[in-house]
Amino acid sequence: MQKHRDKRLLLIEDSRMFATALKYGLETTLGARVTHCGTFQAVKTELAAGPDEFSLAVLDLNLPDGPNCEALDFVLSSRLPAIVFTAAFNDGTREKILGKDVLDCIVKNEPESIKRLISAVDRVLTEGRTTVLVVNPNRTSRYDIAGLLRRQRYSIVEATTAGEALQFLDAGEAVDLIVTETELDDMTGAVLVAEIRNRQGEDAAPVIGLSDDGDARLAARFLEAGGVDFIRKPFLEAEFDARVAQAIAMHKRLQALRRMAASDYLTNIYNRRHFFLTGPRLVEQCLRRGAGASIAVVDIDHFKRLNDTYGHEIGDIVLKHVARRLKSLVGEEHLLARLGGEEFGILFNALDVRRAYDFCERLRLEMERSKIVADDEELTITISIGLATIEAQEAFDNYLHAADQFLYMAKHAGRNRVVSELTLLDALAS
């Protein structure tokens, strides 16, 4: 019952019976908080207060004041993920709904439909959106493969060449599976798989190869390069669906295990090991794209004194507070980790040193303004930051050592400040 207690769902349903049954089922089975709207106007009023309050919408297609999918269009335009639960369903409706990129579609009048809906909601809240990258130079074939995947409720990204696919992956977009033709205009599927693994390491998405070539050695070469599966065309749709689902399920299980291994036990952000494993690949991607990159080391000022004064339990509360604030401010775009003790590392993706310096200043000011309540006492903390620019390929340790040197200067200059080469250049200029 407590599985999704932190999630809030928007239920859009005009049938009183279904609304009551769904609200009860979702709240008692999943623990989620459910807000019910019975009209399109109620939906607009609720989302006007902020769609970010909700993790997911479950909705009927037809409402008394919105009989033509108006509520669905409005929900999707608010960037709120949606599962459709409707009785108005035929082949034409199905294609129309899937074309809108909903996460799932459950038919009301089928046996155990409410049970199926609750399972679908659980899956979405647990796993989030599943994205498949389809790489195929042939427009018709690419459209057909994408259509099969959309019927399984996957989000689709399409690329016509291997270079286009690699560019998309280098941009840091999340992909759960790649389905590629083995014969592409710019490289073979086997070479593409090898390049993906070279660039993304153990974090690389699984790759399934498709081919109508009768050469038996083709599959062997593709799998030896690192592909997870190889399917000859023509194939049965059921076989394709099963192999895709199996590859995605395995990838998500491995991701969950890697997240556990990569997390710091106290603060629940990434740990030092993950920072050193992932950091070099992010730097390589930035340099390949010609984008700026910078690295920062963040240190909590006078942390030893705080521990000695208030005890280690309060010290742990401070560490968790700083980690939460940093995570909320840094977001998913950049790499944040606890390096050890009271030190945190940030690798800024596609930010040159000047923009990274401004970012660090905001972090410092936000931390200075935040308050921590411990044992009924309000504590104020500050941080010092050393920031180094990344301009060429070097050992990853070198970048961190440079940031460490700037951190030492920040502490020596009085703490609660950001020091980088910009700081030194400004000082010399004055």
Side-chain angles (χ1 to χ4, degrees):
M1 181 169 175
Q2 301 303 310
K3 185 174 184 182
H4 298 299
R5 64 187 184 278
D6 59 332
K7 302 294 195 304
R8 188 177 173 199
L9 307 180
L10 181 62
L11 173 60
I12 305 168
E13 173 61 65
D14 64 321
S15 165
R16 184 174 177 180
M17 181 199 73
F18 275 116
T20 302
L22 288 173
K23 190 174 192 300
Y24 176 82
L26 291 167
E27 290 185 339
T28 57
T29 306
L30 304 181
R33 294 171 293 144
V34 177
T35 298
H36 172 238
C37 293
T39 64
F40 183 32
Q41 182 57 49
V43 173
K44 291 189 285 187
T45 301
E46 191 65 50
L47 291 183
D52 293 341
E53 292 292 317
F54 297 98
S55 301
L56 178 69
V58 175
L59 73 157
D60 192 356
L61 286 179
N62 302 325
L63 299 173
D65 55 343
N68 298 308
C69 301
E70 290 91 344
L72 176 60
D73 291 337
F74 186 77
V75 164
L76 294 177
S77 69
S78 301
R79 303 185 66 81
L80 179 60
I83 292 178
V84 169
F85 185 65
T86 183
F89 198 79
N90 53 45
D91 289 342
T93 307
R94 178 188 179 88
E95 292 302 319
K96 184 177 180 181
I97 294 171
L98 292 176
K100 294 177 182 294
D101 201 22
V102 300
L103 297 179
D104 210 337
C105 183
I106 310 295
V107 180
K108 282 183 181 180
N109 300 327
E110 290 184 348
E112 298 190 323
S113 60
I114 292 180
K115 182 179 178 181
R116 287 183 58 211
L117 176 69
I118 292 172
S119 295
V121 170
D122 182 29
R123 185 180 67 251
V124 169
L125 294 181
T126 301
E127 301 177 356
R129 181 183 294 271
T130 297
T131 301
V132 181
L133 172 60
V134 178
V135 191
N136 191 320
N138 184 284
R139 181 180 179 182
T140 301
S141 177
R142 189 173 66 251
Y143 178 83
D144 291 342
I145 296 298
L148 291 177
L149 293 165
R150 285 194 176 95
R151 289 191 185 98
Q152 298 306 310
R153 324 301 190 238
Y154 301 128
S155 178
I156 308 302
V157 178
E158 299 180 27
T160 58
T161 66
E164 199 176 307
L166 291 171
Q167 186 177 10
F168 179 82
L169 294 172
D170 279 346
E173 300 293 340
V175 171
D176 299 291
L177 178 70
I178 301 167
V179 177
T180 182
E181 290 292 318
T182 55
E183 293 302 322
L184 302 168
D185 293 340
D186 47 350
M187 65 178 71
T188 66
V191 173
L192 173 60
V193 171
E195 185 62 26
I196 290 170
R197 289 197 162 277
N198 179 54
R199 295 187 182 193
Q200 299 199 323
E202 64 180 18
D203 292 329
V207 186
I208 294 177
L210 302 178
S211 179
D212 50 12
D213 192 319
D215 187 349
R217 294 168 297 181
L218 189 61
R221 288 195 295 268
F222 186 83
L223 296 172
E224 285 170 357
V228 298
D229 206 347
F230 185 92
I231 305 174
R232 292 197 181 280
K233 297 187 292 184
F235 49 73
L236 292 174
E237 183 177 336
E239 176 194 7
F240 178 78
D241 292 346
R243 292 191 182 212
V244 165
Q246 184 178 39
I248 289 173
M250 181 64 71
H251 179 59
K252 287 187 179 290
R253 285 197 290 271
L254 288 173
Q255 280 184 316
L257 291 172
R258 289 190 184 115
R259 278 196 298 271
M260 291 174 61
S263 294
D264 176 64
Y265 73 98
L266 178 66
T267 60
N268 203 33
I269 63 173
Y270 288 128
N271 57 25
R272 182 184 183 90
R273 177 181 177 275
H274 181 80
F275 194 74
F276 274 81
L277 281 175
T278 307
R281 288 199 296 275
L282 290 180
V283 169
E284 184 182 347
Q285 289 174 10
C286 286
L287 294 177
R288 188 186 302 118
R289 302 197 313 264
S294 305
I295 190 168
V297 178
V298 180
D299 184 88
I300 303 173
D301 293 332
H302 302 298
F303 186 74
K304 184 178 183 304
R305 183 194 302 172
L306 184 147
N307 260 343
D308 292 343
T309 303
Y310 296 98
H312 290 285
E313 287 186 5
I314 302 302
D316 286 350
I317 291 174
V318 170
L319 285 170
K320 291 176 183 177
H321 170 85
V322 171
R324 281 195 303 271
R325 293 297 297 147
L326 288 176
K327 186 175 182 179
S328 68
L329 296 166
V330 171
E332 299 296 328
E333 184 179 357
H334 311 294
L335 177 63
L336 166 70
R338 183 186 176 198
L339 300 181
E342 68 272 26
E343 281 194 350
F344 301 83
I346 306 173
L347 180 58
F348 291 107
N349 180 19
L351 283 190
D352 60 27
V353 70
R354 185 163 296 280
R355 288 191 296 156
Y357 181 87
D358 293 339
F359 198 116
C360 287
E361 266 296 310
R362 290 197 298 274
L363 295 180
R364 184 189 67 79
L365 289 170
E366 285 292 328
M367 206 64 66
E368 186 178 28
R369 294 182 189 126
S370 67
K371 304 295 181 184
I372 306 171
V373 178
D375 288 347
D376 298 325
E377 185 174 349
E378 192 173 79
L379 304 178
T380 300
I381 60 163
T382 60
I383 56 175
S384 299
I385 304 177
L387 175 67
T389 187
I390 297 174
E391 297 178 332
Q393 193 74 53
E394 298 180 34
F396 191 71
D397 275 345
N398 291 352
Y399 309 135
L400 205 63
H401 289 157
D404 259 328
Q405 293 301 313
F406 288 124
L407 175 62
Y408 172 79
M409 295 178 193
K411 290 181 178 180
H412 188 70
R415 295 182 171 84
N416 191 22
R417 65 194 65 220
V418 181
V419 172
S420 72
E421 62 185 85
L422 292 179
T423 315
L424 304 185
L425 290 172
D426 290 344
L428 290 172
S430 60

